[in-house]
């Protein structure tokens, strides 16, 4: 009974987040509302262990995150992914801008230890927050333990809606470009058809198409089974096989490349080779369950945040967030035009440092669902924005945040 009630509460928070996002046309992202509900719930009547009680525990997450990243690879084209080096440069420049502004101006306003404990979560979201928390505890600097988690809570509440706003502005720009391209293509086709006069066509009745004309039929790739055998279990088996190979490769690399980046790359390769289907976990019917579980596990970390913790450090946290986000905007804006990005897309890519996968995927998907009026428009927006958001997020959260947190722990 406890497990069922816990699951009901967790999914209720998810549901309310989605409803508010839909009602606000994605101006208020679902992850923001859900995080707020968890936070208030932990402050009041919600048990601290509600997420593991709902079956979303450590073992579940060890499988989920890697498997979901392999799935993300099946949503991307390899050539498209390789082109996203610009998103990596812009996202990392945003991190540099954050560090420069907070360490520069912030040092004039607050003491050294406050800045060092608070800044890394601004460059890597949850990952950096818990690296700093663990490091502060290990060094017995208990007075500063609250700062990294408080920074994560506060900047996430700003980061989600701000990113959604940037992506909505970018969506409008992309749709305008697409509509112009479609109009020009239609006009060109009409002009071309007009030029085809009867003098260019054979006189008399047009030849009929022989009955033997070949219709283009999709062919099964050599490792794909007939539909009767291509079951959900078979799809999950293939995903597990690719994930296992990716994690084994990550172990051989001894952490040189983050294991989740390798999972994403292996997912892309397996998809390009035809081994994994498009959106494989959605076809297997488990994608949303895994995604909700991962989100719940992330929000469960808010159970250590107390009201007294936030109220005592609110002014330095808010000030550093404003400085950090301003640094992101300045750095990403400077590189946007040279690298072929709009300022909105560049800033959104840099803002991925404020939160972690799957929030970047969810915010992008929610915006495209609201802004696209047809399935083709929604897919077009996803193709244009999602790779930039995911790759930018991996660059900041998986790579830069670990490096910056380790450096900052040494200079405490």
């Amino acid at each position: 009974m406890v497990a069922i009630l816990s699951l009901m509460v967790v999914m209720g928070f998810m549901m309310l987040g989605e409803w508010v996002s839909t009602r606000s046309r994605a101006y208020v992202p679902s992850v923001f509302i859900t995080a707020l509900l968890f936070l208030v719930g932990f402050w009041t009547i919600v048990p601290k262990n509600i997420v593991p009680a709902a079956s979303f525990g450590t073992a579940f997450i060890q499988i989920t995150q890697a498997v979901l990243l392999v799935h993300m690879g099946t949503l991307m084209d390899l050539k498209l992914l390789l082109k996203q080096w610009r998103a990596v440069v812009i996202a990392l420049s945003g991190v540099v801008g954050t560090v420069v502004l907070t360490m520069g101006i912030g040092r004039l306003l607050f003491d050294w230890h406050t800045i060092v404990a608070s800044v890394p979560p601004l460059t890597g979201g949850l990952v950096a927050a818990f690296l700093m928390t663990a490091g502060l505890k290990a060094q017995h600097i208990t007075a500063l333990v609250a700062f990294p988690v408080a920074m994560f809570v506060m900047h996430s509440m700003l980061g989600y809606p701000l990113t959604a706003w940037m992506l909505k502005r970018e969506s409008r720009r992309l749709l305008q470009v697409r509509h112009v391209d479609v109009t020009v293509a239609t006009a060109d086709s009409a002009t071309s058809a007009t030029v085809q006069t009867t003098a260019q066509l054979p006189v008399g009745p047009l030849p009929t198409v022989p009955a033997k004309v070949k219709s283009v039929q999709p062919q099964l790739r050599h490792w794909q089974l007939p539909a009767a055998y291509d079951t959900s279990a078979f799809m999950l088996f293939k995903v597990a096989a690719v994930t296992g190979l990716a994690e084994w490769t990550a172990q051989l690399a001894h952490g040189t490349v983050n294991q989740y980046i390798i999972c994403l790359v292996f997912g892309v390769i397996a998809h390009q080779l035809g081994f994994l289907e498009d959106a494989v976990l959605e076809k297997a019917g488990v994608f949303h369950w895994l995604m909700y579980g991962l989100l719940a596990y992330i929000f469960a970390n808010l159970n250590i945040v107390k009201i007294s913790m936030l109220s005592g450090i609110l002014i330095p946290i808010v000030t550093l967030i404003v400085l950090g986000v301003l640094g992101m905007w300045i750095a990403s804006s400077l590189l946007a035009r040279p690298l072929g990005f709009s300022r909105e897309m560049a800033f959104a890519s840099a803002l991925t440092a404020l939160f972690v996968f799957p929030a970047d995927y969810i915010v992008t998907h929610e915006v495209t669902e609201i802004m696209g009026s047809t399935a083709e428009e929604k897919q077009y927006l996803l193709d244009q924005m999602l790779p930039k958001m995911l790759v930018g997020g991996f660059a900041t959260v998986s790579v830069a945040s670990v490096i910056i947190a380790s450096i900052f722990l040494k200079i405490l």
Side-chain angles (χ1 to χ4, degrees):
M1 185 66 179
V2 172
I4 294 298
L5 289 176
S6 299
L7 179 62
M8 182 186 72
V9 172
V10 169
M11 298 313 298
F13 288 169
M14 301 286 180
M15 173 194 71
L16 291 173
E18 291 177 347
W19 285 3
V20 171
S21 176
T22 301
R23 184 66 177 174
S24 67
R25 293 184 57 80
Y27 276 111
V28 183
S30 65
V31 284
F32 168 71
I33 297 298
T34 304
L36 196 59
L37 289 170
F38 270 103
L39 189 61
V40 174
F42 289 138
W43 286 347
T44 52
I45 60 173
V46 174
K48 305 291 187 184
N49 66 336
I50 190 169
V51 171
S55 78
F56 304 127
T58 304
F60 177 87
I61 296 305
Q62 287 176 345
I63 297 172
T64 300
Q65 190 156 359
V67 165
L68 279 172
L69 288 169
V70 169
H71 167 83
M72 293 299 137
T74 68
L75 304 177
M76 299 182 190
D77 179 80
L78 183 58
K79 294 179 181 178
L80 193 64
L81 187 63
L82 293 176
K83 291 178 181 178
Q84 299 314 317
W85 64 269
R86 296 177 180 86
V88 173
V89 173
I90 287 176
L92 293 179
S93 74
V95 170
V96 173
T98 294
V99 173
V100 169
L101 221 59
T102 52
M103 297 292 286
I105 299 177
R107 184 69 183 88
L108 303 175
L109 304 173
F110 308 109
D111 67 88
W112 173 255
H113 287 97
T114 297
I115 294 172
V116 173
S118 304
V119 169
L122 265 174
T123 66
L126 188 65
V127 174
F130 281 92
L131 283 174
M132 290 302 297
T133 300
L136 290 167
K137 288 180 179 177
Q139 295 187 33
H140 305 290
I141 311 177
T142 55
L144 299 177
V145 167
F147 276 83
V149 178
M151 175 62 80
F152 168 72
V153 173
M154 296 298 295
H155 79 51
S156 296
M157 292 181 179
L158 173 65
Y160 295 148
L162 185 57
T163 303
W165 184 44
M166 289 294 108
L167 290 178
K168 291 191 78 169
R169 289 171 61 90
E170 175 67 1
S171 296
R172 291 193 190 95
R173 187 191 70 82
L174 289 171
L175 290 175
Q176 287 175 355
V177 171
R178 184 174 186 269
H179 290 157
V180 169
D181 291 343
V182 169
T183 303
V184 171
T186 303
D188 289 345
S189 298
T191 303
S192 177
T194 303
V195 172
Q196 298 291 334
T197 62
T198 54
Q200 297 170 294
L201 296 174
V203 178
L206 293 175
T208 58
V209 180
K212 296 196 230 176
V213 166
K214 307 174 280 215
S215 61
V216 179
Q217 297 289 341
Q219 296 182 353
L220 288 175
R221 301 189 183 182
H222 61 275
W223 47 50
Q224 206 169 13
L225 295 178
Y229 297 95
D230 196 16
T231 62
S232 295
F234 180 56
M235 294 179 195
L236 290 173
F237 169 78
K238 291 192 292 183
V239 171
V242 173
T243 306
L245 183 61
E247 294 203 336
W248 177 69
T249 304
Q251 290 178 356
L252 292 179
H254 299 292
T256 305
V257 181
N258 186 275
Q259 64 170 335
Y260 296 131
I261 297 177
I262 295 177
C263 287
L264 177 70
V265 172
F266 272 53
V268 172
I269 294 172
H271 175 245
Q272 292 295 303
L273 294 175
F275 185 68
L276 294 179
E277 297 87 340
D278 295 335
V280 60
L281 293 182
E282 292 184 39
K283 291 183 178 178
V286 299
F287 171 74
H288 290 96
W289 177 254
L290 296 176
M291 184 66 78
Y292 287 136
L294 179 57
L295 271 177
Y297 183 80
I298 291 172
F299 293 139
N301 292 293
L302 297 175
N303 64 7
I304 67 173
V305 179
K306 297 179 174 59
I307 298 178
S308 58
M309 178 191 299
L310 290 180
S311 60
I313 56 180
L314 193 59
I315 292 177
I317 292 295
V318 171
T319 303
L320 290 173
I321 289 173
V322 172
L323 289 173
V325 172
L326 181 60
M328 284 183 188
W329 179 77
I330 293 172
S332 61
S333 296
L334 289 174
L335 288 180
R337 186 179 293 273
L339 292 179
F341 276 49
S342 68
R343 288 187 176 182
E344 291 81 4
M345 191 68 248
F347 191 27
S349 296
L351 284 169
T352 55
L354 298 183
F355 42 83
V356 68
F357 175 84
D360 48 5
Y361 170 84
I362 292 173
V363 172
T364 307
H365 199 272
E366 285 180 348
V367 170
T368 58
E369 284 294 316
I370 294 295
M371 299 302 293
S373 55
T374 65
E376 290 77 15
E377 286 186 353
K378 293 175 183 178
Q379 189 59 50
Y380 170 74
L381 293 176
L382 273 179
D383 290 343
Q384 294 296 317
M385 298 190 300
L386 185 60
K388 297 179 178 69
M389 294 296 288
L390 288 179
V391 174
F394 290 132
T396 54
V397 174
S398 299
V399 181
S401 66
V402 176
I403 296 173
I404 290 173
S406 61
I407 293 173
F408 274 49
L409 282 172
K410 292 177 181 178
I411 63 176
L412 269 172

